[in-house]
Amino acid sequence: MATIDELKKVRKQKLKAVQTAGLLPYPAKTKRTHTVKEALDLFSKIFKSKKDIILAGRIMAMRGHGGATFLDIQDGSNDPDYPKNILPAKIQGLIKEDRLGEDGYRFFVDHFDVGDFVEIKGTLLKTKRGEKTIEADDYNMLAKSLTPLPSEKLWNLGKTEDRRGLKDEDEIFRKRYIDILFNPKVKEMIRQRAIFWQSMREFLIKKGFLEVETPVLEITTGGADAKPFVTHHNALDLDVYLRISTGELWQKKLMVAGFEKTFEIGRQFRNEGMDAEHLQDYTQMEFYWAYADDKMGMKLVEELYKEVIGKTFGRLKFKIRGFDVDFGAKWEIYDYQTMINKYARIDIFEASLPEMEKAIKRLGIRAEGFSAEGGPASGWNKTRAIDNLWKYCRKNLAGPGFLINVPIDVSPLAKRDEKNPKIAKKFQIILAGSEMGNGYSELNDPIEQAERFTEQQKLREKGDEEAQMFDAEFVEALEYGMPPTCGFGLSERLFSFLMDKPMRETQIFPLMRPKQ
């Protein structure tokens, strides 16, 4: 069996022969008159007219039979006869010697391969087996494929929704374009991903929110507890950070500036660990709503989730991570202190740090910055202990629901509750044991915000790389006055949960290590 390199060498020889014949193997345009889907949809009408049409697409299969060669031609349109139209549209092409002449037929057979993009001009017909076909009067090469498509051992061209693309996981993500080509479920996932964000954008615009763009490069990171990526700005000769939130502090400055409703959908970056729920480079949406509080935000967010999920998936009931989740049912309310008391048997408002560490050991929690054997490491503190206890407990909650009464210690940008200063006016979306959104009444007191930043900066100096930096310019903006504001953010992790897949699988092109 020939190696890939040998097959590529043969195809390059064919490419050179096409060029020697005076033809363009990579022309800039096509004269296509119909997509394959259009040709199939309008088949009877076009067939009766006996008019030539021009189709273009990739050759997915070739079968020789005497003086005739049959092709499977596939383009980017969808099969009209398949449920949800998730399979790519495909039509049979027929190249015949008695129609094209010996020279024309031999040139095609000798120079065209599976994987090539071809343009065929001809008439439609049905074969004796009833196969819808375009019989060529003429043809043209649109792009010569120099690397053969994967062998039949690695993919299946059968007309079934369950067919898979590449089998090797590393190759699936490294050559995502090939997996998409042969795996209609991945193509459908990409379409759903687009609908997910577009429907969110449409919902917010309909509610009067203005879409904005805020800086990705920042002098000071803000808006989240996360470790940033650092890069160097050559023109200004200074180190800058890639943002860890989608413009939280910038959008709140827009509230100072007089805007009342803004949102942004964009990429953000966190230089932290990778697992099924976390990546370093992902899409996030954040909105900010002046003259609104956390209660108003919860009502809007529930409406947002129901509309976006319904439009994206056409249903509101899901099986996620072993949980049955119904977004159409009444949403639960989870109290932070009550849930930790129930599942960890500790009162986080009364317990000391050593008592929390004892509970972490008892529960077998693997906490970053703390180990049962070595004890606390640099950056370990009460805030991190509380957060790890909560993450252990939330795994028991199916949702959908709102987590409320979160300690102010883990909410440096949220407003305190007027009746209980130990808790923040904050809410989080709980779904299948994880957090799927975060919102709160924004802290707009510049003096208290400066104090909170100071406490966060002290934690950073003690080694907590996720603690927030002191942003003096943001405090200065608050000093001019910001109205009561509700902010909320969610990431593409929600989409991955709804797909019931790891985040990496629901990104179109996830980051990969270079091949060694």
Side-chain angles (χ1 to χ4, degrees):
M1 182 180 291
T3 66
I4 290 292
D5 288 340
E6 291 169 340
L7 293 172
K8 289 176 70 172
K9 182 178 180 181
V10 171
R11 291 196 175 205
K12 287 180 179 179
Q13 292 170 347
K14 293 181 180 182
L15 170 66
K16 188 172 182 179
V18 170
Q19 294 170 323
T20 300
L23 301 176
L24 291 175
Y26 302 103
K29 64 179 182 178
T30 172
K31 298 178 181 178
R32 180 171 75 165
T33 60
H34 298 74
T35 65
V36 173
K37 181 182 184 301
E38 289 168 344
L40 296 173
D41 282 337
L42 303 171
F43 188 88
S44 296
K45 182 178 179 180
I46 298 172
F47 174 74
K48 289 177 182 178
S49 73
K50 300 186 183 303
K51 291 182 179 178
D52 278 353
I53 64 170
I54 301 174
L55 301 181
R58 188 192 289 271
I59 300 173
M60 300 301 295
M62 295 178 67
R63 303 171 295 279
H65 186 71
T69 295
F70 293 90
L71 318 171
D72 289 341
I73 302 169
Q74 175 180 302
D75 64 8
S77 59
N78 294 326
D79 187 342
D81 297 325
Y82 198 79
K84 298 183 183 178
N85 291 345
I86 70 168
L87 287 180
K90 182 178 67 175
I91 193 169
Q92 181 169 264
L94 175 57
I95 311 294
K96 292 180 68 176
E97 184 176 354
D98 60 9
R99 187 82 168 245
L100 296 171
E102 182 179 356
D103 291 343
Y105 179 73
R106 289 311 315 169
F107 188 87
F108 185 93
V109 171
D110 292 342
H111 299 90
F112 283 72
D113 294 291
V114 171
D116 292 353
F117 283 87
V118 64
E119 176 185 271
I120 292 183
K121 177 182 179 182
T123 53
L124 297 182
L125 58 85
K126 277 190 178 181
T127 63
K128 293 179 181 179
R129 296 183 178 181
E131 186 81 18
K132 294 178 180 178
T133 304
I134 179 169
E135 184 174 5
D137 294 323
D138 197 6
Y139 60 81
N140 189 32
M141 184 173 286
L142 295 178
K144 182 64 186 171
S145 168
L146 298 182
T147 300
L149 296 177
S151 70
E152 292 184 2
K153 293 180 181 179
L154 298 179
W155 49 263
N156 173 17
L157 280 178
K159 190 171 182 178
T160 166
E161 186 179 347
D162 294 326
R163 65 184 182 171
R164 255 316 270 182
L166 297 168
K167 302 288 177 67
D168 181 82
E169 184 174 293
D170 184 73
E171 288 293 283
I172 285 173
F173 296 123
R174 195 173 300 282
K175 297 182 179 177
R176 189 65 147 173
Y177 48 91
I178 297 296
D179 192 47
I180 295 168
L181 180 63
F182 291 117
N183 189 345
K185 282 191 171 182
V186 178
K187 185 178 180 182
E188 172 64 5
M189 181 272 292
I190 294 171
R191 186 189 69 83
Q192 288 177 305
R193 182 186 169 99
I195 294 172
F196 178 83
W197 291 116
Q198 186 60 31
S199 59
M200 192 175 302
R201 175 177 283 109
E202 291 170 353
F203 175 90
L204 290 168
I205 291 173
K206 183 173 63 178
K207 293 292 184 179
F209 286 80
L210 178 71
E211 185 169 14
V212 297
E213 292 183 337
T214 61
V216 172
L217 298 178
E218 299 180 319
I219 305 298
T220 303
T221 63
D225 299 333
K227 183 178 179 181
F229 284 91
V230 184
T231 188
H232 189 75
H233 194 299
N234 290 334
L236 297 179
D237 191 24
L238 81 165
D239 286 342
V240 293
Y241 304 97
L242 274 65
R243 67 182 181 184
I244 57 175
S245 73
T246 310
E248 173 163 347
L249 303 189
W250 299 103
Q251 289 198 60
K252 284 193 274 192
K253 288 179 181 179
L254 291 175
M255 302 297 105
V256 174
F259 286 95
E260 293 191 12
K261 292 182 176 182
T262 64
F263 78 96
E264 181 173 4
I265 297 174
R267 304 296 279 186
Q268 65 183 40
F269 312 87
R270 299 185 179 184
N271 197 5
E272 299 171 342
M274 292 176 64
D275 58 34
E277 297 184 27
H278 299 88
L279 292 176
Q280 289 71 40
D281 170 12
Y282 58 94
T283 300
Q284 170 110 345
M285 183 283 296
E286 293 191 26
F287 74 67
Y288 292 84
W289 181 11
Y291 308 105
D293 66 1
D294 52 309
K295 298 294 190 296
M296 296 168 68
M298 289 165 68
K299 183 178 179 181
L300 181 69
V301 165
E302 182 175 346
E303 186 181 350
L304 168 69
Y305 275 53
K306 288 177 178 177
E307 179 158 331
V308 170
I309 292 168
K311 284 189 174 181
T312 303
F313 297 95
R315 57 193 170 95
L316 293 176
K317 292 183 178 180
F318 293 80
K319 185 82 170 179
I320 305 172
R321 307 289 200 271
F323 292 97
D324 291 313
V325 180
D326 183 359
F327 290 94
K330 180 177 174 58
W331 285 35
E332 299 286 343
I333 299 294
Y334 302 113
D335 177 80
Y336 195 98
Q337 182 182 23
T338 301
M339 291 299 102
I340 295 181
N341 265 329
K342 179 178 179 179
Y343 295 107
R345 302 193 305 280
I346 187 170
D347 188 332
I348 48 98
F349 288 116
E350 300 297 330
S352 64
L353 178 57
E355 288 172 329
M356 292 182 186
E357 292 171 348
K358 185 176 180 180
I360 288 171
K361 291 180 181 180
R362 168 171 52 83
L363 297 168
I365 298 172
R366 298 182 63 183
E368 186 175 349
F370 179 83
S371 68
E373 299 79 17
S378 176
W380 177 253
N381 52 55
K382 191 173 182 179
T383 298
R384 294 285 159 253
I386 293 172
D387 188 49
N388 276 278
L389 286 167
W390 160 244
K391 287 176 180 177
Y392 169 84
C393 297
R394 75 184 182 192
K395 294 176 182 178
N396 298 282
L397 307 178
F402 293 105
L403 175 71
I404 61 171
N405 299 332
V406 178
I408 198 70
D409 292 342
V410 295
S411 309
L413 294 169
K415 189 182 287 291
R416 290 180 189 271
D417 186 88
E418 292 89 345
K419 296 179 180 178
N420 184 355
K422 289 184 178 181
I423 63 175
K425 293 180 70 62
K426 178 175 180 175
F427 63 94
Q428 292 176 305
I429 309 302
I430 303 302
L431 173 63
S434 193
E435 294 164 9
M436 291 296 131
N438 186 29
Y440 38 83
S441 290
E442 304 289 344
L443 177 58
N444 59 345
D445 179 341
I447 296 174
E448 184 175 355
Q449 183 64 83
E451 292 172 350
R452 300 255 201 109
F453 277 152
T454 298
E455 292 303 313
Q456 288 286 304
Q457 189 63 39
K458 289 178 181 178
L459 295 177
R460 286 189 68 84
E461 291 168 359
K462 291 179 180 179
D464 186 350
E465 294 181 309
E466 293 185 5
Q468 296 195 24
M469 300 178 185
F470 193 109
D471 192 326
E473 291 187 358
F474 176 64
V475 172
E476 181 182 22
L478 289 183
E479 289 175 347
Y480 284 94
M482 185 182 86
T485 298
C486 176
F488 178 80
L490 67 87
S491 78
E492 65 180 79
R493 181 158 41 137
L494 172 60
F495 178 75
S496 73
F497 262 58
L498 295 168
M499 294 293 298
D500 203 17
K501 293 180 179 295
M503 277 187 72
R504 190 164 179 246
E505 288 190 24
T506 59
Q507 288 202 331
I508 303 176
F509 293 106
L511 183 66
M512 300 290 294
R513 289 183 187 274
K515 270 191 171 181
Q516 298 299 321

